[in-house]
Structures are given as C-alpha cells and as structure tokens.
Amino acid sequence: MTPTLAVDGLSVRFRLRDATVHAVTDLSLTLHRGELLAVVGESGCGKSVLAHAVLGLLPANATVTGTATLHPDGAPPVQLIGAGERQLRTLRGRYIGLVPQSPATSLTPVRTGRALLTETLRVHGRLPANADQVAEEAGLDPHDLDRYPFELSGGMAQRLATALALAPDPGVLLADEPTAGLDRPLVDHTLDLLRRRCDAGTAVLLITHDLTAARRVADTVAVMYASRIAEHRPADDLFAAPSHPYTAALLDALPDRAFRPIPGHPPMLTALPPGCPFAPRCTQADDACTALPTTTHGTACHHPLTPAGAA
C-alpha cells in the first residue's frame, strides 16, 4: 500500500557561526492513511524539526537533504523537500496540516479566533458557519472564538490552533505537542479527537514527549534520540517489550513503572559521537558501540533487548 507520506534519508543541519547543529540525521519513516504514528523522545532530539522540515518552515540557515513525498488523495505525488514556497502554500492546510507546538506565536494577535477560523474554512472551501462546530470538536467553547489570542489562556490557544489545523480536513496532520498546556481531561479529549480523525482516514503524525499519550492512541511509535530514530515498531509490541535500551529506559522513567530517571544527558547535537549516541548512558554498551549500529527489525542497536530485535 502506498504511504500517504514517505520520508527517506532526511537530514537537517543548522549552520551556526562556530558550529553545525545535527538536528535530524538520516531519518526514514512512512505514514499511511488511517495510521497514527507517534514520534517520542526527550526534548531537543529533533522531533519538531522533522515536522518543520516536511512543511518547509525552517529558517534560512538550515540545510535539508533527503526526500519527503506526499501522496494526496486524487492528486499526483509531491516532493516536499526542495519545493518552492508558492507550491508549499497550496499544500499546507488543505493536504497537510500542522498543530504548532507554540500556538501563542503562530496566531495573528490582531484578529479574533473566530476571524481566523472562518477565514481558514472559507479559503479551503468549507462553510464559515461551521466555525462553532469545529471549535467544539477541538474542545474550545465557541464563545471564546470572539476573543483575541492574547485574551486566551495557553490551553485555549492550543485548542484554537488545533481547530485551525483540523478545519480544512487535511489528509495528513502533523500534531506537534498538541496537548501542551492542557489539563488531563483536555489531554484525553485531544488525543481521542486525533484518534477519531485517524479512524476516519486521516494520517496523523503525533510528536510528543508524553509516552502515556502515545500508548493511549498510537498504532506505531518511533523513538528518537540525538537526531536519529532508535526504534520504530508497532505500539503494542514496543510498550510490551522494548528492544532498544533507550526505549526501555524511557519506559522505566514512567511513574507507573520503575519511576527511575535515565542517568546522564543526551549528547550535544553540535558534537555527536561517531558511534551509538546512547552508548555513554547505556548499561549494555561495549566496544562494538563505538561504531554506528544499523537498523534491524526496527531497532538501531548492537545489543537489542528483545528476540524480535535480535532476529
């Protein structure tokens, strides 16, 4: 089956005055219609950069290599990496939407939520009168649409950003920390909303550091560490028997498990080691880990923990 979004060999580098940030390295993944893929990992591992690279929203000092191919329903495939801004503007929102990580900086401050939402609906060929319905679906009181963004709480702004992303009904939705700033009931509401959209056929890529959220709704999970994917497997398999030592350590840090923090710190993205980047923090590490591991059965590790990864 042809994936709705296929990312292959994606690398992103940011050129600084005296260093280069290796934000994403040789990342490959596929996202199919009706699939919810959660990308998880510690802050700063490259999760958000992945979404912005796909949408062409990186700053001028970024160098992007690899491919990201979008297969819109009823339209020819489109290569997103290297596409011009004019072409990307025809794709953003209608075919591939984004729930931004920082809605307060992405909402126009001089327009009310209602003005933003009705314009989004109109531009994408939907009835502006549906604004209240879309807001309610996102968990936002329609009365709050008449406020300006600076009058909204962080959680309300997050729900407005979610409504704006859902309004055009895109085939692919990139949700970058969509539950940030929400209390637990609204977190569950947002996750269930994404799951329903996914079950209706939308391909959803959920970027989150919340493993509980990923476990609740994801079909597949990709675990990122230091700009690379460490493990990419079906969610049920990964949570039941993690294969990469980093995944196991992340799960052990959960309050309902061992509640044990991972010792040490991730490497600087300006000075990644030549071998396995997790080796300095890993209890399984040995001399073999001075070389970069290949990915086998979805796990990039010289010493996978489960038989599936070791097969």
Side-chain angles (χ1 to χ4, degrees):
M1 183 171 60
T2 301
T4 302
L5 178 66
V7 179
D8 187 31
L10 180 69
S11 293
V12 180
R13 304 287 181 260
F14 293 107
R15 302 181 305 277
L16 305 181
R17 179 174 300 178
D18 55 356
T20 299
V21 178
H22 298 250
V24 176
T25 303
D26 196 23
L27 184 148
S28 298
L29 54 81
T30 56
L31 182 63
H32 292 82
R33 179 182 174 89
E35 177 187 7
L36 198 154
L37 166 62
V39 179
V40 303
E42 293 170 281
S43 297
C45 68
K47 304 187 300 294
S48 295
V49 175
L50 161 64
H52 287 80
V54 167
L55 287 166
L57 297 175
L58 296 177
N61 68 330
T63 300
V64 184
T65 58
T67 62
T69 308
L70 177 69
H71 294 266
D73 287 342
V78 181
Q79 177 51 240
L80 300 174
I81 305 301
E85 178 62 21
R86 179 175 296 181
Q87 182 181 21
L88 288 171
R89 285 189 178 185
T90 67
L91 300 171
R92 297 187 194 121
R94 185 181 301 274
Y95 295 106
I96 180 167
L98 173 69
V99 180
Q101 183 177 13
S102 302
T105 60
S106 63
L107 300 173
T108 305
V110 295
R111 305 191 67 192
T112 65
R114 186 174 301 280
L116 294 171
L117 188 52
T118 55
E119 180 183 24
T120 299
L121 289 165
R122 186 182 68 254
V123 166
H124 293 287
R126 301 189 64 193
L127 294 176
N130 290 336
D132 285 5
Q133 178 184 346
V134 175
E136 286 182 334
E137 185 183 15
L140 183 66
D141 188 329
H143 290 96
D144 292 325
L145 288 177
D146 297 313
R147 300 186 183 188
Y148 290 93
F150 63 85
E151 297 178 304
L152 302 176
S153 67
M156 293 162 68
Q158 183 67 62
R159 281 171 275 163
L160 175 59
T162 300
L164 290 168
L166 295 175
D169 195 19
V172 177
L173 183 65
L174 309 181
D176 189 4
E177 300 286 1
T179 59
L182 303 182
D183 57 25
R184 195 71 239 177
L186 283 172
V187 168
D188 293 341
H189 176 94
T190 300
L191 294 174
D192 292 343
L193 169 60
L194 295 178
R195 185 67 254 179
R196 288 195 302 273
R197 285 295 183 109
C198 186
D199 292 341
T202 303
V204 178
L205 192 150
L206 170 64
I207 295 171
T208 182
H209 66 274
D210 186 348
L211 290 170
T212 302
R215 181 169 52 186
R216 179 184 176 95
V217 295
D219 299 302
T220 51
V221 176
V223 181
M224 284 191 71
Y225 184 78
S227 84
R228 294 180 179 272
I229 290 183
E231 184 170 355
H232 183 186
R233 297 169 61 213
D236 289 345
D237 295 344
L238 183 142
F239 283 106
S243 181
H244 197 286
Y246 175 60
T247 307
L250 276 181
L251 295 179
D252 280 345
L254 291 174
D256 60 348
R257 297 209 180 187
F259 206 25
R260 181 171 56 243
I262 306 174
H265 302 280
M268 297 289 292
L269 295 182
T270 54
L272 292 176
C276 175
F278 188 61
R281 308 172 73 185
C282 182
T283 59
Q284 308 290 320
D286 60 16
D287 291 345
C289 302
T290 58
L292 196 65
T294 57
T295 300
T296 304
H297 297 282
T299 303
C301 182
H302 292 290
H303 308 293
L305 303 178
T306 63

